Amino acid sequence: MQRASGHRHRRIVIISDFCDGATFRDQPPAAEFAASWLSGERGPRPGEALHSGASGMPEVVGGYLERLPLAAIRQNLCDYAEIWSFWARDEPPPWSQDSPHLLHRSFRADTAATPFASSDMLGHIVAFGPPDILCVWGLGVDEAILEACAGSIKIYNSIDAPALRIPPEVSRHFDLVLTSAQWQSCEVERRHPAMATAIMPIGPEFASPETFFPLGLEKTHDVVYVAAAQPYKRHDVLFQALARLPRSIRALCVCGYGEGGGLLREQAAELGLSIDFIGPPGVSHAEVNRLMNLARVGVVCGVDDGAPAILTEYMLAGLPVLANAALRCGLHYITPLTGRIAKADDFHMVLQDMLADLTPYAPRKIVMENWSWDRTVQKLAAVLSESAPKATVRPGARRGGVPPQTVSSRPAR
C-alpha cells in the first residue's frame, strides 16, 4: 500500500490511555484501516490544516495532554501535533481540530486489555508513516505500535506513582522516560540500565501561565481541592482537617471525573462541613481557573499519586499549596515560597497557619522562574539531543541547561 505523499510536516503524537466506551468488537487488519484513512473518510490527513496556509504559532494552553506538544511546536521541535486516544463504542470514532496545529483523534481499541492494541492505529501509521516524536502516557500501547514507530523518538511517562505501568517488552522500546521523582528514575534504570530518564513530569512541569492566572476576584472560599472524585485523591485528609477547624472555614471541591462524587457529598454532609462541590462532570479550564481564584489556598491530599498538574496550576492562579507529606511524587514543587507540606494528622494546624498569613508566598513568580512551559521545553530539547542521537527533529536555536540531578546522562539503548 502506498503511503500518503506530499509536503511533510514534522509531527509529535501524544497517545493517551483513555478509552471511551466498553464495546469491543473483532477488528479488520491494519491494511483495511489504512485504506479508510487514506480515503479521507476518517478525518483530515496529518498537518492538512497547516497545508491550507495557516501561519503563526499556537498558544500553549489547555490540560496536561495539550501543553507538552504545543510547547514542542513553540520550541521548533516539530510543526504539528496530534493527541490520540482509544474508542470502544458502536459509533464511528470521532476527531476534532482544536487549531491548525493540534488535532485530536480516536482509534478503535482491539480489546480492553492493556497496554492497548489497535489495528486502527496501526492502519493510520501504515497510511501516513510514524510521527517524528511519539509520546505514550499511562497504561501504554502494545509492542506492535511501537515497532511500527521504530524511526520515531519515543518518550514515556506513567502519569502516576508507579514509574512504569507497562511490561518490559513494551518499555524497552522507549528512548526516554519522563519521571516525577528520583526514586522513579532509579526504578526505570534498574529495569533498563541504558535508558535515559529525566525528572520532568508532564503535568506540573509544562505549566501554562496563559491558562491559569490571578483574576483579582473576591475570595469567597478558604481552600480549594481540584481532584478526581476517586479514593486515591484522599479527600478524607481534607475532610478530617476541616472537621477539626472552625465551621466558618469554607472549602470548594472541584471534581473533573470519577465515580465518587455522591459519596464525597454524603461524607461532607455527615461531618457538617461547609464544602461546595462542582462536578463531576468537569468544567472548562477557564472555569477551573475562575474557581481556583475564589479560594486562598489550594490543597493536594493524595499519597499514591504522580506529580499532579494541579500543583503548579494552583500556583499560577496565585494560590500557595498545602500538600500531603506522604505524596510520593511532586513534593519538590513545594518550597517556602510556594506552600507547605504536612502529615495528614497535622493538616488542620498547617492549613490554619497558612490562612492566618499568606504574605510569605509568591507562588506564581516561582513557577514562572522554574516550571513554566517555555523553560521546561528547553530542557526537553536538550535531553532529546543527548538521549536520542537518531533524532530527525531540530531542537531549534534556544537551548536550556538541565539541572544535573534531574537527568540521567546515560545514552538511550
Side-chain angles (χ1 to χ4, degrees), residues 32-94:
E32 290 188 27
F33 280 113
S36 68
W37 283 110
L38 287 169
S39 72
E41 66 186 62
R42 294 290 304 278
R45 298 183 176 214
E48 193 165 74
L50 289 176
H51 283 296
S52 66
S55 60
M57 284 294 210
E59 283 190 295
V60 181
V61 295
Y64 70 85
L65 288 175
E66 290 84 11
R67 297 197 298 254
L68 183 151
L70 291 172
I73 295 171
R74 293 288 293 268
Q75 183 65 18
N76 195 32
L77 292 173
C78 53
D79 308 303
Y80 169 74
E82 295 195 3
I83 296 173
W84 294 358
S85 60
F86 296 93
W87 186 257
R89 296 187 182 277
D90 288 331
E91 302 81 11

Side-chain angles (χ1 to χ4, degrees), residues 41 76 124 209 231 310 337 352 379 411:
E41 66 186 62
N76 195 32
H124 186 279
I310 199 64
L337 292 175
Q352 193 168 38
K379 299 174 187 178

Side-chain angles (χ1 to χ4, degrees), residues 137-358:
W137 304 156
L139 297 171
V141 295
D142 76 340
E143 193 173 17
I145 291 170
L146 296 178
E147 288 174 338
C149 296
S152 306
I153 298 172
K154 292 178 285 296
I155 304 171
Y156 173 79
N157 182 226
S158 82
I159 324 179
D160 213 332
L164 294 163
R165 298 164 69 196
I166 49 179
E169 63 270 20
V170 173
S171 58
R172 68 191 178 97
H173 289 274
F174 289 97
D175 303 292
L176 173 66
V177 176
L178 302 180
T179 66
S180 300
Q182 184 60 49
W183 68 265
Q184 287 188 324
S185 294
C186 292
E187 283 195 359
V188 173
E189 291 161 6
R190 276 195 293 271
R191 182 189 286 189
H192 302 293
M195 187 167 288
T197 64
I199 300 175
M200 198 180 296
I202 62 169
E205 282 281 347
F206 289 85
S208 172
E210 300 89 344
T211 305
F212 303 100
F213 47 87
L215 293 172
L217 301 179
E218 178 187 357
K219 300 295 186 180
T220 58
H221 292 72
D222 297 289
V223 59
V224 60
Y225 192 20
V226 181
Q230 293 185 315
Y232 80 101
K233 290 298 184 180
R234 295 298 304 274
H235 288 77
D236 61 290
V237 173
L238 174 61
F239 291 3
Q240 292 302 320
L242 293 174
R244 300 169 76 176
L245 289 169
R247 290 301 185 268
S248 58
I249 300 293
R250 295 193 63 196
L252 180 61
C253 286
V254 182
C255 306
Y257 63 92
E259 67 286 347
L263 179 60
L264 292 177
R265 287 169 168 83
E266 291 175 9
Q267 292 172 344
E270 289 173 0
L271 292 169
L273 305 178
S274 179
I275 302 180
D276 293 322
F277 288 90
I278 306 293
V283 294
S284 68
H285 292 110
E287 180 63 4
V288 171
N289 185 58
R290 188 190 73 82
L291 291 167
M292 290 194 298
N293 268 269
L294 298 178
R296 302 171 65 207
V297 172
V299 296
V300 172
C301 302
V303 175
D304 294 317
D305 200 353
I310 199 64
L311 282 163
T312 54
E313 293 170 356
Y314 285 141
M315 296 173 190
L316 285 175
L319 279 65
V321 178
L322 173 59
N324 192 335
L327 178 66
R328 297 185 68 193
C329 302
L331 288 182
H332 58 284
Y333 297 102
I334 308 299
T335 75
L337 292 175
T338 64
R340 300 271 301 272
I341 64 172
K343 296 179 180 178
D345 288 344
D346 299 331
F347 226 66
H348 64 294
M349 293 187 294
V350 179
L351 178 57
Q352 193 168 38
D353 285 347
M354 292 179 70
L355 290 171
D357 183 11
L358 299 179

